[in-house]
């Protein structure tokens, strides 16, 4: 079960997240189709940024606004989607990691949203999206320790494991993962219909590549 803490809703009234639950999937090296799609889309984004500065993109502006409402300095701690876009802007294109990470990165760039994917076998109990305290920190997939005081953070019974900034090593998906959960941090301005359509598109592409079964849910 996943819920949004009341403290988040008090800061950002229309905050919403999408959850995709996957079972019996097979994660491995990305097929050439996915690698090509990821690379080609980054090249298109790079040319878009040549025309319009990243700071003027509506999705980037809105996520920075959300961070400010929560109490996070968006120039110091960026949404993961903006961090990916900034890499593309520097032509430091995101390489292929494995099929699950590549699909996740593709959709994060495509929708310009922070999206996390986690190994469910490394999660315990209910999940809550909340605002972190000084006690909330973890080693991220970037091998750095991040503290989540006054930042959005996602926790299970063992503690914090994910966020729109960076995800933890504890719950990262690997080629051994067979059960996963993907969390999409939607823009507050999105309609429920938009969110549902995005979740369906993500589910279809993920299952096409990884097999297994999937369920989607919008949490508002």
């Amino acid at each position: 079960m996943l819920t949004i803490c009341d403290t988040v809703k008090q800061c950002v009234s229309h905050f919403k997240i999408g959850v995709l639950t996957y079972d019996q999937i097979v994660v491995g090296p990305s097929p050439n189709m996915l690698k090509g799609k990821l690379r080609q889309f980054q090249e298109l984004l790079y040319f878009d940024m040549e025309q319009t500065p990243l700071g003027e993109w509506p999705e980037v502006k809105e996520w920075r606004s959300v961070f400010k409402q929560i109490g996070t300095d968006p120039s110091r701690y960026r949404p993961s989607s903006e961090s990916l876009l900034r890499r593309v802007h520097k032509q430091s294109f995101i390489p292929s990691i494995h099929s699950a990470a590549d699909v996740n990165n593709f959709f994060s760039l495509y929708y310009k949203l922070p999206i996390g994917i986690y190994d469910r076998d490394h999660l315990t109990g209910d999940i809550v999206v909340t605002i972190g305290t000084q006690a909330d920190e973890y080693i991220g997939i970037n091998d750095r320790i991040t503290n989540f005081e006054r930042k959005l953070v996602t926790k299970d019974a063992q503690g914090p494991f994910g966020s729109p900034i960076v995800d933890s090593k504890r719950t990262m998906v690997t080629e051994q993962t067979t059960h996963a959960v993907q969390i999409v941090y939607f823009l507050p301005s999105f309609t429920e219909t938009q969110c549902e359509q995005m979740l369906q598109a993500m589910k279809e592409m993920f299952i096409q590549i990884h097999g297994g079964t999937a369920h989607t849910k919008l949490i508002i």
Side-chain angles (χ1 to χ4, degrees), residues 52-69 72 74-75 78-79 81-82 85-86 111-114 187-189:
T52 308
L54 190 56
E56 294 177 17
W57 288 23
E59 300 90 346
V60 171
K61 288 168 77 171
E62 187 170 347
W63 256 109
R64 287 179 182 176
S65 172
V66 169
F67 270 31
K68 286 177 184 174
Q69 290 171 64
T72 310
S75 59
R78 302 187 193 284
S81 48
E82 183 181 339
L85 289 165
R86 283 175 170 270
Y111 292 125
K112 302 167 189 67
L113 298 173
L187 290 170
S189 63

Side-chain angles (χ1 to χ4, degrees), residues 79-98:
S80 57
S81 48
E82 183 181 339
S83 295
L84 289 177
L85 289 165
R86 283 175 170 270
R87 285 182 60 178
V88 172
H89 187 231
K90 294 175 183 173
Q91 288 187 293
S92 176
F93 292 159
I94 293 104
S96 175
I97 301 167
H98 54 61

